[in-house]
Structure formats: C-alpha cells, structure tokens
Amino acid sequence: KNPMVVNHLMRVQDYLWIAEDGMKMQGYNGAQCWDTSFCAQAIYEAGLLDEFPEVSEKIWGYLERTQILSTEVSQSSPAYNYESNEYRNKFYRHISEGGWPFSTSAHGWPISDCTSEGLKGVLCLLKSASVKKGLKDGTLKKISADRLFKAVNVLLTYQNEDGGWATYENNRGWGWYEQLNPSEVFGDIMIDYSYVECSMATLTALVDFQELHPEHRVADIKHSIDKGRAFLKSIQRNDGSWYGSWACCFCYGVWFGVEGLIKCGEPLGSPSILSACDFLLKQQRPNGGWGEDFTSCYDKDYAKEGMKAYGDDGSGVVNTAWALLSLSMARCKDHDAVRRGVKYLMKRQLPSGDWPQEGISGVFNRSVGITYTAYRNVFPIWAIGRCAEVYGEEVFDNPKP
C-alpha cells in the first residue's frame, strides 16, 4: 500500500509490449519521440507533409509537449526546481531544459541525438502548410524561438573536447574505467563516448537551425560545426566505413558519417565521401539489397553473410534504406546500384503498404538488441523519397541496354 510502490507498479506496463515475435521488455518507456522525429523527416523528404496534414499536425503537437521542461505544465512541476544552477551543481546534472527525450516527457532525460532529431523534426514541420495554418489560427501551440535557442544551447554544451558528441553527458573519464565494468551484458558503459550517430545528429541539427536563425550564436555554432566535422573524419575507418554503435551496424554508421560530413560542407568528391560509397557498393547483395545482423555489432566487422537468419536472402529493408540514404546524399554515380536498391525496397513492400518485420535492427552497448518496429516503414519511405528527389524517375526505370 506504499504509494511509491503503487505508483511504480502502475508504470510497469509502459515497459512491456507484444511484437510479432513475442513479449518485449524495454529499457525505456518506449521510443516515441525518437521514432516520431525520424518519421517527420521522412515524410518531409518524401514530399508528404501536406499529403497527410493530420499526421503533421499530430506530430507537431507531440513534439511541442514533449520538449523537456519547456511547457507550462512541466515548468509548474517539482522537476523544474531541479533545473536551477544550485541543484544542477549539487547533483552533477547537465542542463535539461530545451532538450528532447527518447520517449515521452515523463522520461525527462535530454539526449544529444534525441534533442537533435526532435529539433530537426520541428524545423521540417515548420515548412508544412497545415502546421503553419494551425500555428496562425491557434489550433496548434507555438514553439517559440527561445525554446529552439535552448535546444541549441543543450547541444552546444554536450560537445566533447574531441569534437564529437556522446549521449547523455560529456565525457568525464578514461577508457581504463571499463576494467571496472560490473555488468555482464553491456560493453563500453563506464563513461560516455563520442559517437558518429550523436555527432551527425547534432551537427545536422545545428546546420538546419542556422537556416532559420542565421543570426543566433554564429561564432559558437561555426566553431562547433568545424570541430564536429573534423571528429567525423577522424573516426572513419580505413575501409571507408563508420562503426554504428546504436544499430546494426555499418550501413547505419555510414549513413550518419556521410550525411554529417556533407551537411557540414564536405565536398562530394572528398576521399571520405568516395571511400564511404565504395564501401557500401562492395556490400550490395545480388538481389539489390543490403543486410547485416547482430554479428556486425559485437565482431565490429561487416556481417559476411548479411542478415542471414531473418532477412531476405541476406538482405533487409532497413539496412537497404540506410545504404540508399547514404548513396543518394553523396550523389553516387553508380545509378544502377541505387536503382537496384530502390527496386528491392519496392519489391519487398507488402500489399497493405507495410514492409515486413525482419531481424533486429537496433542495438545498445554492443550486445543488447533493440526491436524498432517503426524502422521498417520509416526508413524505406525516407530512402525512396530521397532517391526520387536526387535521381528523378530514372531510379524507377529499367536500365537502358
């Protein structure tokens, strides 16, 4: 009958859900903000924001009320008192106000890439006619410029000395701390490291933000982008790839590396971009797709047999979409490879419009698989939309003899 225990038990259901392959226990109370932010960007690049105005408006409403300690409701809660300098210094807490979480406002932890993707989602939606109308007539709540500035401030304060970004906090220790790792299932958890994913997400958010507010903290943002761009290049592997730490694995990492560099001004003819494209082209499978499984993550080497167990002859729709996002961003000149990849995604789409759920695509800390069921739809839509924009109808045509 203890009220704390009762309240805790009420929330256990938030962490359990049934997927196609059985019961799942989540590390968070969902991935709602993360998935929704990607969805907003996907439908924007596919030119569908105003094709489904109700979807755009609902996403806006969700991102507005989910921004951490930024709404009237959250600022009237006891949690807001802990945002003061006194409490943050006392409890070694990073700035929270202005960030976005992985799941819901109840989650409450700002994360560099979640904040970045949330910010990018908002910036995309500001280009929607239906969202603009809702903001003008008051049916949608506004996200003020000051709230965007606070999101940017969170991102700038998260940058590490090496130029990259970690997840929840700055790097506060050394690699030898891993000798004290008490867990049996997690790898590389004793300090927060800089990652290609978090770094690209933050860099591209800053670049997109500058387009809307070019006058805000110009020198700080430029300095941050320059350092971040150098970091991305410094961690590229000799074979042209980047190791993806938060999904399976190299297709994911290469997408973040390529997109981050190009958005920061890296020329398309740069050796970094060309070698990344060469790496992906070498991994394309005979059926036109790309595929990896969990072995890429813990071996830190591309899965030689692709997505062997739960894919389609070694390929998978999510890995294929990530590869196509990279190649189209880089304006890859191998149009036939892109065409074959797009054809593969179109072939795999089900009559319902859905794509099949395949092998696990997400990972935390090298050894814990994460099932992201939204990925199978969000990323193929995004990839096909971008490829259509970059290559036009050619990407859907059969190659000329």
Side-chain angles (χ1 to χ4, degrees), residues 33-92:
C33 190
W34 179 250
D35 290 343
T36 302
S37 301
F38 277 144
C39 180
Q41 296 173 70
I43 61 177
Y44 165 70
E45 279 212 52
L48 300 173
L49 279 180
D50 293 309
E51 191 83 16
F52 304 99
E54 187 178 359
V55 172
S56 297
E57 293 162 18
K58 285 182 175 180
I59 293 177
W60 176 273
Y62 187 79
L63 293 178
E64 187 279 327
R65 65 180 180 270
T66 306
Q67 191 177 14
I68 298 170
L69 297 178
S70 300
T71 64
E72 291 182 11
V73 172
S74 62
Q75 291 185 351
S76 63
S77 71
Y80 193 59
N81 297 328
Y82 289 90
E83 188 67 3
S84 67
N85 288 333
E86 176 188 357
Y87 278 111
R88 286 198 298 103
N89 290 331
K90 182 177 181 180
F91 297 111
Y92 300 94

Side-chain angles (χ1 to χ4, degrees), residues 111-123:
I111 311 169
S112 64
D113 52 355
C114 297
T115 298
S116 300
E117 301 301 347
L119 177 57
K120 288 192 286 184
V122 166
L123 295 173

